[in-house]
Amino acid sequence: MSSSAPVTQSGLNPKTDTQAHSAVSNDYQSPASGQSIWHKIYLYINYTPKRCRYNPEKPFGFSMALNLLFGFAATFTVANLYYNHPILNRLADDFHVNQERVSLIPTLAQTGYASGLLFLCPLGDIFCRRPFVLLLVWFTATVWLGLCITNSFPVFCFLTFLTSLTTVTPQLMLPLVGDLAPPHRRATAISIVVSGLLLGILIARVLSGVVTNYTSWRNIYWLAFALQYLILGLLWLFLPDYPSTNPHGLNYFKMLWSIITMLFKHPILVQACLVGFCTATTFTSYWTTLTFLLSSPPYNYSPLVIGLFALIGICATCFGPPYSRLVIDKIVPIYSVILGEFICITGIAIGTYTGTFTVAGPIIQAFMIDLGLQTSQIANRTAIYAIEPTARNRVNTAYMVSTFCGQLVGTSVGNSLYARGGWTRSGSASVGFIGAALVFCFARGPHEKGWVGWHGGWSIRRTDLGPKAQAGGPSDEEKASENAPSSADNEETAIEKVADEMAAEPVRGNSMEGGEEKST
């Protein structure tokens, strides 16, 4: 028997992880042992079914079913931020405020989300992800009830900020995908969750516009409330309990400071952040100014028709996973980033310079900008998740903060330039931003270790997957993942098994306290 302990996919020692992890969250206490209602709620949420408990001897197999669950959760969690966008006029009427005041709602939503990215997401490097994600989803869903019933505009604004603050669970799931998925299929797994994020941004606008057009705006909020509790239930049943990547803990403020120091240590992270910033500006600039273009001559479209344009972007998200499996999983990520940027700049150029006289231009632009953004984001995440396995949440925070800042700049610059020079001027700025992104891409080669240059060659194939994976066959790590028990096994009896386990926990605990249970 080998004396060296096996290593998990994240590069951690599972024996050490298990000991530290058990001290943190592997008590798996029964809810019956709670003394107060809040303690019982906490124990119910924190309870982990046996099938989801971490076992280093049998690592979790990252199945397609679990991957799709993460994508579904990402879609209808991030959608919480965007339901209000098409219905601001209805909200203004219902709360008896003017358009200037009602614009506080999306502003507070974005501010809350940015705060969550910066102050909550890094905690994923300290806490075990399962209880942390479940508690955030439960808190968001419960507080969301207030948005469904309140008649006070200040209360609605405050609750919007609060729920947006905790609507960061997809950004905790993405680094977890990086931990669970084998390197040979990591880009594909990440692409499904990223597609869910983009789908949530777009589908929220469509659902909100259609539902509000034919019923009350409160119905879309009730639908979101139900979806949040559905996500909570599914994650509670199937989300694996993976150990903390830093089981000995970190100082919170030093951890936040380390996000800044990472930017001075890893050129590839800075490159990804700069490209992500520039690309994100074009996305929000387009979707913000599109409303102005289509509601004006020669189109004069209704808000419902304008909202349906999001369906074009939804179609583009379907190309992400197959492209990732066929291309991004096999080649150096920067080449996929460059391809994504060329797709973006082509679509923007077509839409910008033909959109004032034919609707085909904005349609082509919607499809290509979403496809290019998705391709670029997936490849960037694949690259940066490899730099510090124990700090993936902080790496993700650095990337997402830069992307979010790009979205804010895109909205501001797009609106300002459209007011001064119309659709063509705002679109030309987007062409410039993508041009800057391409400069950042070409400034540092695929195998360059420093900040600028193309040292190390031009090789397109990835060299970090092992000879079997490069030849087209599965890597050893992928085989281990495929042989591991699937998270989708026996799903039809999962609820009954969990109920039996929870009922048996108090009995088992009592027999242990009485000394009746013998050790084996």
Side-chain angles (χ1 to χ4, degrees):
M1 188 175 193
S2 174
S3 60
S4 61
V7 177
T8 62
Q9 291 171 1
S10 63
L12 304 175
N13 185 317
K15 290 185 177 179
T16 305
D17 291 346
T18 308
Q19 293 170 358
H21 186 229
S22 62
V24 179
S25 71
N26 267 6
D27 309 346
Y28 303 120
Q29 296 176 348
S30 168
S33 63
Q35 298 300 315
S36 67
I37 183 63
W38 294 111
H39 189 49
K40 285 183 178 181
I41 290 173
Y42 170 77
L43 290 177
Y44 269 112
I45 295 173
N46 197 45
Y47 180 83
T48 305
K50 284 183 180 178
R51 61 197 299 279
C52 296
R53 297 179 186 180
Y54 178 70
N55 182 356
E57 303 297 329
K58 295 180 180 179
F60 296 110
F62 192 65
S63 66
M64 180 57 70
L66 184 60
N67 205 168
L68 291 174
L69 173 58
F70 280 20
F72 175 80
T75 298
F76 290 104
T77 301
V78 78
N80 292 344
L81 303 171
Y82 298 96
Y83 288 125
N84 59 69
H85 283 202
I87 60 172
L88 290 176
N89 58 328
R90 297 288 186 91
L91 293 173
D93 293 341
D94 248 31
F95 288 114
H96 307 293
V97 295
N98 56 33
Q99 291 187 351
E100 184 178 359
R101 285 204 69 196
V102 83
S103 65
L104 282 173
I105 294 173
T107 302
L108 288 170
Q110 296 299 322
T111 304
Y113 185 64
S115 302
L117 285 175
L118 187 58
F119 298 113
L120 291 182
C121 282
L123 292 172
D125 285 336
I126 302 177
F127 300 146
C128 299
R129 261 73 61 88
R130 177 185 164 91
F132 189 35
V133 166
L134 291 178
L135 285 169
L136 287 177
V137 174
W138 172 80
F139 180 85
T140 304
T142 304
V143 175
W144 191 270
L145 180 62
L147 291 171
C148 299
I149 62 177
T150 185
N151 291 312
S152 168
F153 183 71
V155 170
F156 191 91
C157 288
F158 173 72
L159 295 181
T160 296
F161 174 83
L162 203 57
T163 53
S164 301
L165 179 72
T166 54
T167 303
V168 292
T169 47
Q171 301 304 330
L172 294 167
M173 292 178 189
L174 278 164
L176 182 58
V177 170
D179 289 334
L180 293 173
H184 191 55
R185 287 291 177 261
R186 186 168 292 152
T188 304
I190 290 173
S191 72
I192 291 174
V193 184
V194 171
S195 297
L197 288 171
L198 297 177
L199 184 64
I201 295 173
L202 299 171
I203 204 170
R205 301 170 188 267
V206 177
L207 281 176
S208 185
V210 172
V211 171
T212 303
N213 189 68
Y214 295 106
T215 63
S216 166
W217 67 265
R218 292 189 186 271
N219 288 334
I220 192 64
Y221 275 80
W222 281 113
L223 176 62
F225 172 76
L227 286 168
Q228 290 304 295
Y229 266 98
L230 174 62
I231 290 169
L232 177 63
L234 292 172
L235 291 177
W236 190 82
L237 284 171
F238 302 116
L239 181 64
D241 191 16
Y242 200 75
S244 169
T245 53
N246 294 277
H248 302 294
L250 294 169
N251 179 280
Y252 180 68
F253 296 102
K254 287 184 179 179
M255 182 181 63
L256 292 179
W257 176 251
S258 71
I259 297 173
I260 298 175
T261 61
M262 282 180 186
L263 296 173
F264 292 91
K265 288 170 55 182
H266 302 292
I268 192 170
L269 178 58
V270 174
Q271 184 183 38
C273 288
L274 291 173
V275 172
F277 173 90
C278 293
T279 310
T281 59
T282 64
F283 181 81
T284 52
S285 177
Y286 170 79
W287 286 107
T288 301
T289 57
L290 180 68
T291 302
F292 303 141
L293 174 71
L294 297 181
S295 61
S296 305
Y299 304 115
N300 298 313
Y301 291 157
S302 69
L304 180 60
V305 173
I306 295 172
L308 292 176
F309 263 68
L311 294 174
I312 303 166
I314 292 173
C315 294
T317 62
C318 300
F319 286 83
Y323 176 81
S324 299
R325 185 175 182 87
L326 295 173
V327 180
I328 301 179
D329 270 329
K330 295 180 174 61
I331 71 173
V332 179
I334 189 61
Y335 288 110
S336 290
V337 176
I338 292 171
L339 176 60
E341 298 305 317
F342 273 117
I343 293 173
C344 279
I345 200 169
T346 303
I348 293 169
I350 292 172
T352 296
Y353 303 115
T354 66
T356 54
F357 56 85
T358 173
V359 75
I363 290 175
I364 294 171
Q365 182 174 351
F367 182 84
M368 297 188 73
I369 200 172
D370 279 27
L371 179 61
L373 174 68
Q374 184 179 211
T375 302
S376 175
Q377 275 203 2
I378 295 166
N380 270 328
R381 289 180 188 274
T382 304
I384 64 177
Y385 283 171
I387 59 178
E388 288 200 30
T390 61
R392 283 188 175 128
N393 286 277
R394 281 169 283 166
V395 169
N396 187 65
T397 295
Y399 179 71
M400 281 307 302
V401 167
S402 65
T403 302
F404 183 79
C405 290
Q407 292 177 359
L408 294 179
V409 170
T411 301
S412 175
V413 171
N415 288 339
S416 176
L417 291 179
Y418 190 93
R420 296 179 183 179
W423 174 257
T424 302
R425 180 172 291 189
S426 64
S428 298
S430 293
V431 172
F433 277 117
I434 298 297
L438 285 169
V439 170
F440 294 132
C441 287
F442 286 111
R444 185 178 178 278
H447 305 287
E448 174 63 52
K449 302 298 182 184
W451 292 91
V452 178
W454 279 71
H455 301 95
W458 298 61
S459 174
I460 295 178
R461 300 285 297 186
R462 292 178 63 181
T463 59
D464 59 337
L465 302 177
K468 293 181 182 179
Q470 290 180 52
S475 63
D476 294 336
E477 200 169 355
E478 187 181 19
K479 285 182 178 179
S481 175
E482 289 173 352
N483 293 332
S486 171
S487 64
D489 290 343
N490 302 321
E491 287 184 9
E492 66 278 0
T493 60
I495 299 175
E496 291 152 358
K497 286 183 179 180
V498 170
D500 291 342
E501 290 167 19
M502 295 180 68
E505 289 286 345
V507 176
R508 195 177 303 120
N510 291 336
S511 69
M512 290 179 68
E513 289 173 7
E516 297 174 5
E517 186 169 302
K518 296 180 181 180
S519 60
T520 57

